[in-house]
Amino acid sequence: MGRTAGLSPWTWVPTLYFAEGIPYFIVNVISVIMFKNMGMSNGDIAMYTGLLYLPWTVKPLWSPFVDIVRTKRWWVVVTQAVIAVSFALAAFSLPGLSPEETASGSTPVSLFVMTLVIFWVTAFASATHDIAADGYYMIALDGRQQSFFVGIRSTFYRCASIFGQGVLVVVAGLLETRLGDVPAAWRITLLLCALLFGAVALYHTFMLPRAESPAHSQSGTVRPASEILREFGRTFVTFFRKKHVWTAILFMLLYRLPEAFLVKMMNPFLLDPAEAGGLGLSTGNVGIVYGTVGVAALTLGGITGGIAASRWGLKKSLWPMAAAMTLPCFTFVYLSMAQPDNFLVINLSVFVEQFGYGFGFTAYMLYLIYFSQGEFKTAHYSLCTAFMALSMMLPGMVAGYLQEWLGYTGFFWMVILCCAATVAVTFIIKVEPDGHSAEQSS
């Protein structure tokens, strides 16, 4: 552990990956609830929060510069400080709205332009932090430590999900009830996030080991910028020369199509009153449904999927997991038609849907790993995850307008029809029975 300057990875791996998850969930999930509670329409919410996903889609384009400019440790600390400042600025950028305006459902987007711009900066800082944190993890730990802590980092990323989608939303809901002022409640919540990230940045300034030098590779040799950029270009060329690449891209873009539409409208559906077709839950109850029950189901589904895939292999897992990805979408058709007011029934429905998604998503991630194998497997995997982010961003941007046009029940039936895309791409992809990688064509 000489390269880690005597500091145990336990002192920084959990906090690093907890910090990686928080801004992602605030920008992509909590922002939906916040804007909904401040009166923005579903169409505008989906469009503008969908655009916030773009930095995670295009982050492979600037990842080489994180290698070239300064150290990954420097990037981690600086981006965390930027995120802390961004949360504080976002808090003060929220417009002061009356209860009538927040309840109208038609608050103009123009009032939130500054908040959206600040969230855009936060998203770019968070995506850059992801690049730096993952690279730092590989440099600061040896192979044995990396293997040991991979489960730890995943666990604390899940903890960030529970904290972001659960604890913070419940806090905002309690503040809304106590203060009777929605903008003030969210302003305080964002300031708490700013204080948290400021503390995290300060902690990592002293506790992250100095394990690298600028422009150094993992082996410790200096790599010129021209070499890094040239290799970066080669990764694109070799990626698009892989066999069945266009079929693979179709799979990456369409396998999650039902979920991409669904995920943007789940929270607005839970929050909207019954007369608008929703379930009329409070903000705090939404935090409980998705921040605790939903995350637990998603995690359990992922663990079950991992066990099943290890026994069956990718090829045999595809169809059961594709079915698990699609069939639970019927739970939202049921919820929109029955509009139950029983909190237990709502939680059970969400549990079934999220468990199915967690189980079905396993095949998707395994395929990305499978397709990335080869000379540039790390860079190719990064490109695969960019297509994954794009698959969620584009449908999500129009989900709100479709929901406003179709109503919640019609929208969820449309999601069911989109399951045909999942089935189709599962049918056409090529996976070798022995699990060999998709090699480059000659």
Side-chain angles (χ1 to χ4, degrees), residues 178-396:
R178 176 161 296 189
L179 300 175
D181 186 335
V182 173
W186 285 99
R187 192 172 293 119
I188 293 170
T189 303
L190 287 173
L191 286 174
L192 290 173
C193 295
L195 289 172
L196 170 67
F197 247 81
V200 167
L202 184 63
Y203 177 82
H204 285 152
T205 299
F206 297 102
M207 297 304 293
L208 284 184
R210 298 183 183 277
E212 54 178 331
S213 301
H216 279 55
S217 68
Q218 189 171 346
S219 63
T221 58
V222 177
R223 302 181 65 203
S226 58
E227 179 188 333
I228 293 174
L229 292 174
R230 188 162 53 247
E231 184 175 300
F232 178 65
R234 285 185 63 204
T235 64
F236 274 90
V237 173
T238 54
F239 181 84
F240 287 99
R241 284 181 178 172
K242 282 178 173 282
K243 289 196 298 183
H244 312 304
V245 63
W246 297 110
T247 303
I249 290 173
L250 274 178
F251 180 82
M252 294 173 204
L253 292 176
L254 296 179
Y255 181 80
R256 299 176 72 192
L257 184 63
E259 192 67 21
F261 280 120
L262 192 62
V263 72
K264 277 298 177 187
M265 285 298 103
M266 289 188 298
N267 285 322
F269 169 65
L270 296 177
L271 289 164
D272 263 333
E275 55 267 26
L279 299 185
L281 296 185
S282 67
T283 302
N285 281 342
V286 170
I288 293 171
V289 171
Y290 268 100
T292 55
V293 175
V295 171
L298 185 68
T299 303
L300 185 60
I303 292 170
T304 306
I307 294 171
S310 67
R311 293 182 178 179
W312 302 339
L314 175 58
K315 191 174 181 66
K316 291 182 179 179
S317 298
L318 276 171
W319 281 110
M321 290 183 179
M325 194 81 173
T326 56
L327 294 178
C329 293
F330 279 103
T331 58
F332 275 87
V333 173
Y334 160 73
L335 289 174
S336 66
M337 295 177 71
Q339 291 185 286
D341 56 8
N342 187 309
F343 195 53
L344 178 60
V345 171
I346 295 169
N347 275 286
L348 285 174
S349 298
V350 169
F351 185 92
V352 169
E353 191 274 334
Q354 288 291 286
F355 179 88
Y357 174 56
F359 186 80
F361 185 61
T362 305
Y364 185 84
M365 294 305 296
L366 286 174
Y367 181 78
L368 264 56
I369 295 169
Y370 163 82
F371 189 76
S372 302
Q373 294 303 308
E375 182 182 0
F376 299 101
K377 61 182 178 182
T378 302
H380 287 176
Y381 182 75
S382 179
L383 289 172
C384 287
T385 59
F387 281 111
M388 175 178 70
L390 189 65
S391 77
M392 297 298 287
M393 186 185 84
L394 295 179

